[in-house]
Amino acid sequence: MKKPPFISHYLVLQDLINGIDVRIYNDSIVYLVSRIENIKVWLKKQGIEFIEDAVSPSRFANYKPYILINTSENMKRAEELLENLETQQILDFIEFWKSEDEQKTS
């Protein structure tokens, strides 16, 4: 099944809304994208605001996590954008992807 447009944007934004630090995962495996930074730039152009001075430790060094500013306006904007990105094609792909993953682990 071919990867639909904006699937990576959808997956990243969904995790950001749920408070998940998307930088801790492998970009290409979890979000199907080679540079998650490009998605952050795109989200900022859409009006989504991030905490820019956050720092998280990792095993080797500190890094800057992607964390949404938790205001009602910003979260509403993020949720509306997520709804706009959600197409039947994306939902079908996620379902297919999950079933493929489940088959590999069975």
Side-chain angles (χ1 to χ4, degrees):
M1 180 175 231
K2 185 179 176 188
K3 182 176 99 167
F6 292 97
I7 181 71
S8 300
H9 296 68
Y10 179 85
L11 294 170
V12 168
L13 184 55
Q14 187 176 49
D15 279 355
L16 287 170
I17 289 170
N18 291 324
I20 297 171
D21 179 5
V22 298
R23 301 270 327 267
I24 64 172
Y25 298 114
N26 182 300
D27 298 359
S28 58
I29 294 173
V30 176
Y31 299 112
L32 309 173
V33 66
S34 61
R35 291 194 46 88
I36 203 165
E37 295 84 2
N38 294 339
I39 293 176
K40 180 184 178 190
V41 169
W42 184 85
L43 290 170
K44 288 178 78 171
K45 286 181 181 177
Q46 305 306 310
I48 306 300
E49 298 175 318
F50 291 82
I51 298 172
E52 296 295 342
D53 57 354
V55 177
S56 288
S58 74
R59 195 165 142 200
F60 303 105
N62 291 336
Y63 72 98
K64 293 183 74 161
Y66 295 163
I67 302 169
L68 297 181
I69 293 176
N70 193 9
T71 63
S72 59
E73 182 180 320
N74 194 49
M75 296 307 285
K76 181 180 178 193
R77 192 176 306 123
E79 289 171 4
E80 287 173 352
L81 181 56
L82 185 68
E83 286 177 20
N84 290 338
L85 290 172
E86 186 176 277
T87 64
Q88 191 59 49
Q89 190 179 13
I90 284 178
L91 296 175
D92 291 345
F93 183 84
I94 291 170
E95 189 64 34
F96 173 79
W97 192 30
K98 285 180 181 178
S99 69
E100 286 287 309
D101 193 41
E102 288 173 0
Q103 288 177 3
K104 289 178 186 176
T105 58
S106 310

mmCIF file of all heavy atoms in Angstrom, residues 7-55:
data_model
loop_
_atom_site.group_PDB
_atom_site.id
_atom_site.type_symbol
_atom_site.label_atom_id
_atom_site.label_comp_id
_atom_site.label_asym_id
_atom_site.label_seq_id
_atom_site.Cartn_x
_atom_site.Cartn_y
_atom_site.Cartn_z
ATOM 1 N N ILE A 7 0.711 11.689 5.783
ATOM 2 C CA ILE A 7 0.606 10.684 6.833
ATOM 3 C C ILE A 7 1.593 10.986 7.958
ATOM 4 O O ILE A 7 1.263 10.881 9.136
ATOM 5 C CB ILE A 7 0.795 9.238 6.294
ATOM 6 C CG1 ILE A 7 0.653 8.196 7.418
ATOM 7 C CG2 ILE A 7 2.146 9.059 5.626
ATOM 8 C CD1 ILE A 7 -0.720 8.013 7.945
ATOM 9 N N SER A 8 2.805 11.384 7.614
ATOM 10 C CA SER A 8 3.816 11.683 8.632
ATOM 11 C C SER A 8 3.402 12.885 9.462
ATOM 12 O O SER A 8 3.557 12.886 10.687
ATOM 13 C CB SER A 8 5.177 11.936 7.975
ATOM 14 O OG SER A 8 5.584 10.792 7.261
ATOM 15 N N HIS A 9 2.862 13.897 8.821
ATOM 16 C CA HIS A 9 2.384 15.086 9.531
ATOM 17 C C HIS A 9 1.282 14.694 10.522
ATOM 18 O O HIS A 9 1.260 15.156 11.655
ATOM 19 C CB HIS A 9 1.840 16.116 8.537
ATOM 20 C CG HIS A 9 2.872 16.645 7.598
ATOM 21 N ND1 HIS A 9 3.462 15.869 6.634
ATOM 22 C CD2 HIS A 9 3.422 17.871 7.476
ATOM 23 C CE1 HIS A 9 4.324 16.593 5.950
ATOM 24 N NE2 HIS A 9 4.322 17.816 6.450
ATOM 25 N N TYR A 10 0.385 13.837 10.060
ATOM 26 C CA TYR A 10 -0.722 13.373 10.897
ATOM 27 C C TYR A 10 -0.202 12.622 12.119
ATOM 28 O O TYR A 10 -0.608 12.901 13.251
ATOM 29 C CB TYR A 10 -1.656 12.495 10.070
ATOM 30 C CG TYR A 10 -2.819 11.944 10.853
ATOM 31 C CD1 TYR A 10 -3.978 12.690 11.010
ATOM 32 C CD2 TYR A 10 -2.761 10.678 11.437
ATOM 33 C CE1 TYR A 10 -5.052 12.190 11.738
ATOM 34 C CE2 TYR A 10 -3.828 10.178 12.164
ATOM 35 C CZ TYR A 10 -4.968 10.942 12.307
ATOM 36 O OH TYR A 10 -6.021 10.455 13.034
ATOM 37 N N LEU A 11 0.710 11.676 11.898
ATOM 38 C CA LEU A 11 1.239 10.861 12.998
ATOM 39 C C LEU A 11 1.998 11.709 14.020
ATOM 40 O O LEU A 11 1.835 11.537 15.232
ATOM 41 C CB LEU A 11 2.146 9.760 12.444
ATOM 42 C CG LEU A 11 1.461 8.693 11.596
ATOM 43 C CD1 LEU A 11 2.499 7.812 10.911
ATOM 44 C CD2 LEU A 11 0.493 7.877 12.422
ATOM 45 N N VAL A 12 2.821 12.631 13.532
ATOM 46 C CA VAL A 12 3.590 13.495 14.428
ATOM 47 C C VAL A 12 2.658 14.389 15.227
ATOM 48 O O VAL A 12 2.773 14.493 16.455
ATOM 49 C CB VAL A 12 4.613 14.339 13.635
ATOM 50 C CG1 VAL A 12 5.208 15.437 14.497
ATOM 51 C CG2 VAL A 12 5.721 13.448 13.074
ATOM 52 N N LEU A 13 1.721 15.038 14.563
ATOM 53 C CA LEU A 13 0.810 15.954 15.254
ATOM 54 C C LEU A 13 -0.057 15.210 16.274
ATOM 55 O O LEU A 13 -0.274 15.708 17.383
ATOM 56 C CB LEU A 13 -0.062 16.701 14.251
ATOM 57 C CG LEU A 13 -0.996 17.759 14.820
ATOM 58 C CD1 LEU A 13 -0.232 18.798 15.647
ATOM 59 C CD2 LEU A 13 -1.777 18.435 13.704
ATOM 60 N N GLN A 14 -0.497 14.027 15.935
ATOM 61 C CA GLN A 14 -1.294 13.230 16.872
ATOM 62 C C GLN A 14 -0.500 12.958 18.156
ATOM 63 O O GLN A 14 -1.021 13.111 19.260
ATOM 64 C CB GLN A 14 -1.698 11.926 16.195
ATOM 65 C CG GLN A 14 -2.658 11.086 16.992
ATOM 66 C CD GLN A 14 -3.080 9.865 16.212
ATOM 67 O OE1 GLN A 14 -2.253 9.153 15.665
ATOM 68 N NE2 GLN A 14 -4.382 9.640 16.153
ATOM 69 N N ASP A 15 0.758 12.580 18.017
ATOM 70 C CA ASP A 15 1.579 12.324 19.202
ATOM 71 C C ASP A 15 1.880 13.609 19.969
ATOM 72 O O ASP A 15 1.879 13.613 21.196
ATOM 73 C CB ASP A 15 2.875 11.612 18.820
ATOM 74 C CG ASP A 15 2.672 10.117 18.632
ATOM 75 O OD1 ASP A 15 1.554 9.623 18.883
ATOM 76 O OD2 ASP A 15 3.646 9.435 18.239
ATOM 77 N N LEU A 16 2.122 14.694 19.263
ATOM 78 C CA LEU A 16 2.376 15.969 19.947
ATOM 79 C C LEU A 16 1.172 16.382 20.791
ATOM 80 O O LEU A 16 1.324 16.816 21.929
ATOM 81 C CB LEU A 16 2.713 17.061 18.940
ATOM 82 C CG LEU A 16 4.085 16.979 18.287
ATOM 83 C CD1 LEU A 16 4.178 17.971 17.134
ATOM 84 C CD2 LEU A 16 5.188 17.224 19.299
ATOM 85 N N ILE A 17 -0.013 16.239 20.239
ATOM 86 C CA ILE A 17 -1.240 16.579 20.974
ATOM 87 C C ILE A 17 -1.365 15.709 22.222
ATOM 88 O O ILE A 17 -1.807 16.172 23.271
ATOM 89 C CB ILE A 17 -2.480 16.446 20.067
ATOM 90 C CG1 ILE A 17 -2.481 17.572 19.025
ATOM 91 C CG2 ILE A 17 -3.768 16.464 20.881
ATOM 92 C CD1 ILE A 17 -3.523 17.412 17.932
ATOM 93 N N ASN A 18 -0.942 14.461 22.120
ATOM 94 C CA ASN A 18 -1.020 13.530 23.245
ATOM 95 C C ASN A 18 0.162 13.659 24.203
ATOM 96 O O ASN A 18 0.296 12.854 25.126
ATOM 97 C CB ASN A 18 -1.137 12.087 22.735
ATOM 98 C CG ASN A 18 -2.461 11.839 22.081
ATOM 99 O OD1 ASN A 18 -3.482 12.368 22.503
ATOM 100 N ND2 ASN A 18 -2.463 11.044 21.032
ATOM 101 N N GLY A 19 1.004 14.666 23.987
ATOM 102 C CA GLY A 19 2.109 14.936 24.904
ATOM 103 C C GLY A 19 3.302 14.005 24.750
ATOM 104 O O GLY A 19 4.133 13.909 25.653
ATOM 105 N N ILE A 20 3.415 13.340 23.628
ATOM 106 C CA ILE A 20 4.527 12.414 23.392
ATOM 107 C C ILE A 20 5.684 13.175 22.757
ATOM 108 O O ILE A 20 5.505 13.925 21.802
ATOM 109 C CB ILE A 20 4.067 11.256 22.486
ATOM 110 C CG1 ILE A 20 2.981 10.453 23.202
ATOM 111 C CG2 ILE A 20 5.247 10.369 22.088
ATOM 112 C CD1 ILE A 20 2.297 9.429 22.344
ATOM 113 N N ASP A 21 6.879 12.954 23.293
ATOM 114 C CA ASP A 21 8.089 13.569 22.741
ATOM 115 C C ASP A 21 8.482 12.803 21.476
ATOM 116 O O ASP A 21 9.061 11.723 21.542
ATOM 117 C CB ASP A 21 9.223 13.524 23.774
ATOM 118 C CG ASP A 21 10.522 14.121 23.264
ATOM 119 O OD1 ASP A 21 10.543 14.658 22.131
ATOM 120 O OD2 ASP A 21 11.520 14.051 23.994
ATOM 121 N N VAL A 22 8.155 13.356 20.329
ATOM 122 C CA VAL A 22 8.386 12.672 19.057
ATOM 123 C C VAL A 22 9.867 12.537 18.714
ATOM 124 O O VAL A 22 10.227 11.725 17.864
ATOM 125 C CB VAL A 22 7.629 13.365 17.897
ATOM 126 C CG1 VAL A 22 6.124 13.311 18.143
ATOM 127 C CG2 VAL A 22 8.086 14.794 17.703
ATOM 128 N N ARG A 23 10.710 13.291 19.374
ATOM 129 C CA ARG A 23 12.148 13.225 19.078
ATOM 130 C C ARG A 23 12.807 11.980 19.666
ATOM 131 O O ARG A 23 13.935 11.661 19.312
ATOM 132 C CB ARG A 23 12.865 14.463 19.617
ATOM 133 C CG ARG A 23 12.386 15.787 19.070
ATOM 134 C CD ARG A 23 13.044 16.309 17.827
ATOM 135 N NE ARG A 23 14.413 16.069 17.560
ATOM 136 C CZ ARG A 23 15.437 16.869 17.873
ATOM 137 N NH1 ARG A 23 15.216 17.982 18.538
ATOM 138 N NH2 ARG A 23 16.656 16.562 17.527
ATOM 139 N N ILE A 24 12.138 11.252 20.551
ATOM 140 C CA ILE A 24 12.766 10.067 21.140
ATOM 141 C C ILE A 24 12.669 8.855 20.222
ATOM 142 O O ILE A 24 13.317 7.854 20.460
ATOM 143 C CB ILE A 24 12.179 9.716 22.529
ATOM 144 C CG1 ILE A 24 10.707 9.348 22.430
ATOM 145 C CG2 ILE A 24 12.404 10.837 23.513
ATOM 146 C CD1 ILE A 24 10.126 8.796 23.727
ATOM 147 N N TYR A 25 11.863 8.942 19.175
ATOM 148 C CA TYR A 25 11.670 7.817 18.260
ATOM 149 C C TYR A 25 12.463 8.002 16.975
ATOM 150 O O TYR A 25 12.812 9.113 16.592
ATOM 151 C CB TYR A 25 10.189 7.661 17.911
ATOM 152 C CG TYR A 25 9.326 7.364 19.105
ATOM 153 C CD1 TYR A 25 8.378 8.277 19.541
ATOM 154 C CD2 TYR A 25 9.458 6.175 19.804
ATOM 155 C CE1 TYR A 25 7.584 7.997 20.636
ATOM 156 C CE2 TYR A 25 8.674 5.892 20.910
ATOM 157 C CZ TYR A 25 7.738 6.806 21.315
ATOM 158 O OH TYR A 25 6.953 6.544 22.406
ATOM 159 N N ASN A 26 12.667 6.911 16.270
ATOM 160 C CA ASN A 26 13.312 6.936 14.969
ATOM 161 C C ASN A 26 12.333 7.537 13.955
ATOM 162 O O ASN A 26 11.235 6.996 13.760
ATOM 163 C CB ASN A 26 13.705 5.510 14.576
ATOM 164 C CG ASN A 26 14.421 5.453 13.266
ATOM 165 O OD1 ASN A 26 13.888 5.839 12.236
ATOM 166 N ND2 ASN A 26 15.644 4.968 13.303
ATOM 167 N N ASP A 27 12.732 8.614 13.312
ATOM 168 C CA ASP A 27 11.848 9.340 12.389
ATOM 169 C C ASP A 27 11.286 8.441 11.293
ATOM 170 O O ASP A 27 10.096 8.453 11.018
ATOM 171 C CB ASP A 27 12.591 10.495 11.718
ATOM 172 C CG ASP A 27 13.088 11.549 12.676
ATOM 173 O OD1 ASP A 27 12.851 11.414 13.892
ATOM 174 O OD2 ASP A 27 13.729 12.498 12.210
ATOM 175 N N SER A 28 12.150 7.682 10.657
ATOM 176 C CA SER A 28 11.709 6.921 9.487
ATOM 177 C C SER A 28 10.888 5.696 9.854
ATOM 178 O O SER A 28 10.029 5.273 9.088
ATOM 179 C CB SER A 28 12.908 6.521 8.624
ATOM 180 O OG SER A 28 13.822 5.755 9.378
ATOM 181 N N ILE A 29 11.113 5.119 11.028
ATOM 182 C CA ILE A 29 10.361 3.922 11.415
ATOM 183 C C ILE A 29 9.001 4.276 12.008
ATOM 184 O O ILE A 29 7.975 3.717 11.620
ATOM 185 C CB ILE A 29 11.177 3.060 12.403
ATOM 186 C CG1 ILE A 29 12.412 2.515 11.688
ATOM 187 C CG2 ILE A 29 10.335 1.948 12.983
ATOM 188 C CD1 ILE A 29 13.385 1.796 12.587
ATOM 189 N N VAL A 30 8.961 5.212 12.922
ATOM 190 C CA VAL A 30 7.710 5.532 13.617
ATOM 191 C C VAL A 30 6.848 6.515 12.839
ATOM 192 O O VAL A 30 5.624 6.382 12.796
ATOM 193 C CB VAL A 30 8.007 6.069 15.039
ATOM 194 C CG1 VAL A 30 6.744 6.502 15.748
ATOM 195 C CG2 VAL A 30 8.743 5.017 15.847
ATOM 196 N N TYR A 31 7.481 7.493 12.202
ATOM 197 C CA TYR A 31 6.718 8.557 11.545
ATOM 198 C C TYR A 31 6.826 8.548 10.019
ATOM 199 O O TYR A 31 6.266 9.414 9.354
ATOM 200 C CB TYR A 31 7.127 9.914 12.105
ATOM 201 C CG TYR A 31 6.851 9.999 13.590
ATOM 202 C CD1 TYR A 31 7.881 10.062 14.515
ATOM 203 C CD2 TYR A 31 5.549 9.958 14.065
ATOM 204 C CE1 TYR A 31 7.627 10.106 15.875
ATOM 205 C CE2 TYR A 31 5.279 9.995 15.427
ATOM 206 C CZ TYR A 31 6.316 10.066 16.319
ATOM 207 O OH TYR A 31 6.052 10.104 17.669
ATOM 208 N N LEU A 32 7.568 7.584 9.481
ATOM 209 C CA LEU A 32 7.673 7.402 8.029
ATOM 210 C C LEU A 32 8.205 8.648 7.316
ATOM 211 O O LEU A 32 7.742 9.015 6.238
ATOM 212 C CB LEU A 32 6.317 6.997 7.442
ATOM 213 C CG LEU A 32 5.611 5.830 8.123
ATOM 214 C CD1 LEU A 32 4.214 5.652 7.567
ATOM 215 C CD2 LEU A 32 6.421 4.559 7.980
ATOM 216 N N VAL A 33 9.178 9.296 7.929
ATOM 217 C CA VAL A 33 9.743 10.518 7.366
ATOM 218 C C VAL A 33 11.235 10.537 7.667
ATOM 219 O O VAL A 33 11.685 9.976 8.653
ATOM 220 C CB VAL A 33 9.038 11.772 7.951
ATOM 221 C CG1 VAL A 33 9.314 11.938 9.428
ATOM 222 C CG2 VAL A 33 9.375 13.017 7.186
ATOM 223 N N SER A 34 12.006 11.161 6.775
ATOM 224 C CA SER A 34 13.453 11.181 7.001
ATOM 225 C C SER A 34 13.897 12.320 7.914
ATOM 226 O O SER A 34 14.911 12.210 8.581
ATOM 227 C CB SER A 34 14.193 11.259 5.666
ATOM 228 O OG SER A 34 13.830 12.440 4.987
ATOM 229 N N ARG A 35 13.149 13.419 7.934
ATOM 230 C CA ARG A 35 13.529 14.555 8.786
ATOM 231 C C ARG A 35 12.299 15.129 9.459
ATOM 232 O O ARG A 35 11.551 15.911 8.875
ATOM 233 C CB ARG A 35 14.242 15.625 7.972
ATOM 234 C CG ARG A 35 15.616 15.162 7.500
ATOM 235 C CD ARG A 35 16.486 16.277 6.982
ATOM 236 N NE ARG A 35 16.537 17.462 7.781
ATOM 237 C CZ ARG A 35 17.380 17.686 8.791
ATOM 238 N NH1 ARG A 35 18.232 16.777 9.142
ATOM 239 N NH2 ARG A 35 17.372 18.830 9.424
ATOM 240 N N ILE A 36 12.127 14.771 10.716
ATOM 241 C CA ILE A 36 10.975 15.236 11.479
ATOM 242 C C ILE A 36 11.017 16.762 11.671
ATOM 243 O O ILE A 36 9.983 17.402 11.854
ATOM 244 C CB ILE A 36 10.880 14.482 12.821
ATOM 245 C CG1 ILE A 36 9.457 14.526 13.353
ATOM 246 C CG2 ILE A 36 11.872 15.004 13.824
ATOM 247 C CD1 ILE A 36 9.207 13.524 14.448
ATOM 248 N N GLU A 37 12.212 17.336 11.566
ATOM 249 C CA GLU A 37 12.354 18.789 11.702
ATOM 250 C C GLU A 37 11.531 19.526 10.650
ATOM 251 O O GLU A 37 10.995 20.603 10.905
ATOM 252 C CB GLU A 37 13.825 19.207 11.590
ATOM 253 C CG GLU A 37 14.701 18.703 12.702
ATOM 254 C CD GLU A 37 15.224 17.269 12.498
ATOM 255 O OE1 GLU A 37 14.928 16.649 11.442
ATOM 256 O OE2 GLU A 37 15.889 16.766 13.400
ATOM 257 N N ASN A 38 11.442 18.939 9.446
ATOM 258 C CA ASN A 38 10.666 19.576 8.382
ATOM 259 C C ASN A 38 9.180 19.628 8.725
ATOM 260 O O ASN A 38 8.478 20.565 8.358
ATOM 261 C CB ASN A 38 10.878 18.842 7.057
ATOM 262 C CG ASN A 38 12.292 18.966 6.557
ATOM 263 O OD1 ASN A 38 13.033 19.874 6.948
ATOM 264 N ND2 ASN A 38 12.695 18.047 5.712
ATOM 265 N N ILE A 39 8.706 18.632 9.442
ATOM 266 C CA ILE A 39 7.305 18.633 9.864
ATOM 267 C C ILE A 39 7.072 19.714 10.907
ATOM 268 O O ILE A 39 6.064 20.414 10.866
ATOM 269 C CB ILE A 39 6.887 17.247 10.375
ATOM 270 C CG1 ILE A 39 6.913 16.260 9.201
ATOM 271 C CG2 ILE A 39 5.516 17.292 11.034
ATOM 272 C CD1 ILE A 39 6.612 14.840 9.569
ATOM 273 N N LYS A 40 8.023 19.886 11.824
ATOM 274 C CA LYS A 40 7.885 20.947 12.819
ATOM 275 C C LYS A 40 7.818 22.312 12.129
ATOM 276 O O LYS A 40 6.985 23.153 12.476
ATOM 277 C CB LYS A 40 9.040 20.936 13.822
ATOM 278 C CG LYS A 40 8.898 22.035 14.859
ATOM 279 C CD LYS A 40 10.064 22.098 15.804
ATOM 280 C CE LYS A 40 9.877 23.249 16.789
ATOM 281 N NZ LYS A 40 11.059 23.524 17.570
ATOM 282 N N VAL A 41 8.660 22.529 11.139
ATOM 283 C CA VAL A 41 8.644 23.800 10.393
ATOM 284 C C VAL A 41 7.282 23.997 9.739
ATOM 285 O O VAL A 41 6.698 25.082 9.803
ATOM 286 C CB VAL A 41 9.785 23.829 9.352
ATOM 287 C CG1 VAL A 41 9.628 25.001 8.405
ATOM 288 C CG2 VAL A 41 11.139 23.876 10.047
ATOM 289 N N TRP A 42 6.755 22.948 9.129
ATOM 290 C CA TRP A 42 5.452 23.035 8.482
ATOM 291 C C TRP A 42 4.359 23.347 9.502
ATOM 292 O O TRP A 42 3.483 24.187 9.255
ATOM 293 C CB TRP A 42 5.152 21.728 7.745
ATOM 294 C CG TRP A 42 3.884 21.761 6.968
ATOM 295 C CD1 TRP A 42 3.695 22.240 5.703
ATOM 296 C CD2 TRP A 42 2.599 21.301 7.405
ATOM 297 N NE1 TRP A 42 2.374 22.097 5.330
ATOM 298 C CE2 TRP A 42 1.682 21.526 6.363
ATOM 299 C CE3 TRP A 42 2.137 20.709 8.580
ATOM 300 C CZ2 TRP A 42 0.339 21.186 6.453
ATOM 301 C CZ3 TRP A 42 0.800 20.376 8.678
ATOM 302 C CH2 TRP A 42 -0.091 20.604 7.620
ATOM 303 N N LEU A 43 4.398 22.674 10.652
ATOM 304 C CA LEU A 43 3.395 22.918 11.696
ATOM 305 C C LEU A 43 3.455 24.365 12.186
ATOM 306 O O LEU A 43 2.424 24.995 12.407
ATOM 307 C CB LEU A 43 3.587 21.949 12.861
ATOM 308 C CG LEU A 43 3.231 20.490 12.582
ATOM 309 C CD1 LEU A 43 3.683 19.599 13.730
ATOM 310 C CD2 LEU A 43 1.740 20.333 12.323
ATOM 311 N N LYS A 44 4.674 24.886 12.341
ATOM 312 C CA LYS A 44 4.813 26.287 12.776
ATOM 313 C C LYS A 44 4.227 27.230 11.731
ATOM 314 O O LYS A 44 3.597 28.226 12.083
ATOM 315 C CB LYS A 44 6.282 26.601 13.046
ATOM 316 C CG LYS A 44 6.799 25.939 14.324
ATOM 317 C CD LYS A 44 8.252 26.220 14.562
ATOM 318 C CE LYS A 44 8.402 27.613 15.122
ATOM 319 N NZ LYS A 44 9.764 27.902 15.582
ATOM 320 N N LYS A 45 4.384 26.919 10.466
ATOM 321 C CA LYS A 45 3.798 27.747 9.406
ATOM 322 C C LYS A 45 2.275 27.698 9.446
ATOM 323 O O LYS A 45 1.609 28.631 8.990
ATOM 324 C CB LYS A 45 4.298 27.291 8.033
ATOM 325 C CG LYS A 45 5.726 27.677 7.763
ATOM 326 C CD LYS A 45 6.168 27.221 6.391
ATOM 327 C CE LYS A 45 7.612 27.578 6.135
ATOM 328 N NZ LYS A 45 8.093 27.077 4.843
ATOM 329 N N GLN A 46 1.726 26.616 10.001
ATOM 330 C CA GLN A 46 0.280 26.482 10.133
ATOM 331 C C GLN A 46 -0.237 27.167 11.398
ATOM 332 O O GLN A 46 -1.424 27.132 11.688
ATOM 333 C CB GLN A 46 -0.120 25.001 10.158
ATOM 334 C CG GLN A 46 0.358 24.190 8.982
ATOM 335 C CD GLN A 46 -0.047 24.775 7.646
ATOM 336 O OE1 GLN A 46 -1.206 25.101 7.425
ATOM 337 N NE2 GLN A 46 0.917 24.933 6.760
ATOM 338 N N GLY A 47 0.672 27.755 12.190
ATOM 339 C CA GLY A 47 0.272 28.489 13.382
ATOM 340 C C GLY A 47 0.406 27.718 14.686
ATOM 341 O O GLY A 47 0.006 28.213 15.735
ATOM 342 N N ILE A 48 0.947 26.519 14.631
ATOM 343 C CA ILE A 48 1.131 25.722 15.844
ATOM 344 C C ILE A 48 2.374 26.239 16.569
ATOM 345 O O ILE A 48 3.427 26.427 15.956
ATOM 346 C CB ILE A 48 1.288 24.217 15.510
ATOM 347 C CG1 ILE A 48 0.120 23.723 14.644
ATOM 348 C CG2 ILE A 48 1.449 23.397 16.783
ATOM 349 C CD1 ILE A 48 -1.238 23.871 15.260
ATOM 350 N N GLU A 49 2.246 26.467 17.884
ATOM 351 C CA GLU A 49 3.352 27.026 18.658
ATOM 352 C C GLU A 49 3.995 25.964 19.540
ATOM 353 O O GLU A 49 3.308 25.122 20.129
ATOM 354 C CB GLU A 49 2.845 28.181 19.518
ATOM 355 C CG GLU A 49 2.299 29.329 18.683
ATOM 356 C CD GLU A 49 1.691 30.416 19.546
ATOM 357 O OE1 GLU A 49 0.983 30.090 20.529
ATOM 358 O OE2 GLU A 49 1.940 31.581 19.247
ATOM 359 N N PHE A 50 5.329 26.024 19.612
ATOM 360 C CA PHE A 50 6.115 25.086 20.387
ATOM 361 C C PHE A 50 6.864 25.805 21.503
ATOM 362 O O PHE A 50 7.199 26.979 21.367
ATOM 363 C CB PHE A 50 7.159 24.399 19.495
ATOM 364 C CG PHE A 50 6.571 23.460 18.491
ATOM 365 C CD1 PHE A 50 6.052 23.923 17.291
ATOM 366 C CD2 PHE A 50 6.528 22.097 18.739
ATOM 367 C CE1 PHE A 50 5.508 23.058 16.362
ATOM 368 C CE2 PHE A 50 5.995 21.222 17.824
ATOM 369 C CZ PHE A 50 5.481 21.700 16.634
ATOM 370 N N ILE A 51 7.148 25.078 22.586
ATOM 371 C CA ILE A 51 8.048 25.587 23.619
ATOM 372 C C ILE A 51 9.454 25.463 23.044
ATOM 373 O O ILE A 51 9.918 24.366 22.763
ATOM 374 C CB ILE A 51 7.913 24.774 24.927
ATOM 375 C CG1 ILE A 51 6.496 24.902 25.480
ATOM 376 C CG2 ILE A 51 8.956 25.217 25.943
ATOM 377 C CD1 ILE A 51 6.206 23.983 26.656
ATOM 378 N N GLU A 52 10.116 26.576 22.848
ATOM 379 C CA GLU A 52 11.398 26.565 22.148
ATOM 380 C C GLU A 52 12.600 26.399 23.069
ATOM 381 O O GLU A 52 13.673 26.044 22.616
ATOM 382 C CB GLU A 52 11.563 27.843 21.318
ATOM 383 C CG GLU A 52 10.543 27.980 20.205
ATOM 384 C CD GLU A 52 10.643 26.917 19.120
ATOM 385 O OE1 GLU A 52 11.693 26.253 19.000
ATOM 386 O OE2 GLU A 52 9.656 26.737 18.393
ATOM 387 N N ASP A 53 12.438 26.632 24.371
ATOM 388 C CA ASP A 53 13.597 26.570 25.258
ATOM 389 C C ASP A 53 13.635 25.301 26.110
ATOM 390 O O ASP A 53 14.394 25.208 27.073
ATOM 391 C CB ASP A 53 13.673 27.807 26.142
ATOM 392 C CG ASP A 53 12.415 28.006 26.980
ATOM 393 O OD1 ASP A 53 11.446 27.260 26.791
ATOM 394 O OD2 ASP A 53 12.415 28.920 27.815
ATOM 395 N N ALA A 54 12.844 24.304 25.756
ATOM 396 C CA ALA A 54 12.834 23.043 26.513
ATOM 397 C C ALA A 54 14.093 22.241 26.197
ATOM 398 O O ALA A 54 14.605 22.272 25.081
ATOM 399 C CB ALA A 54 11.601 22.233 26.155
ATOM 400 N N VAL A 55 14.593 21.536 27.195
ATOM 401 C CA VAL A 55 15.775 20.687 27.030
ATOM 402 C C VAL A 55 15.507 19.370 27.751
ATOM 403 O O VAL A 55 14.966 19.347 28.852
ATOM 404 C CB VAL A 55 17.035 21.359 27.623
ATOM 405 C CG1 VAL A 55 18.237 20.443 27.523
ATOM 406 C CG2 VAL A 55 17.314 22.681 26.938
#
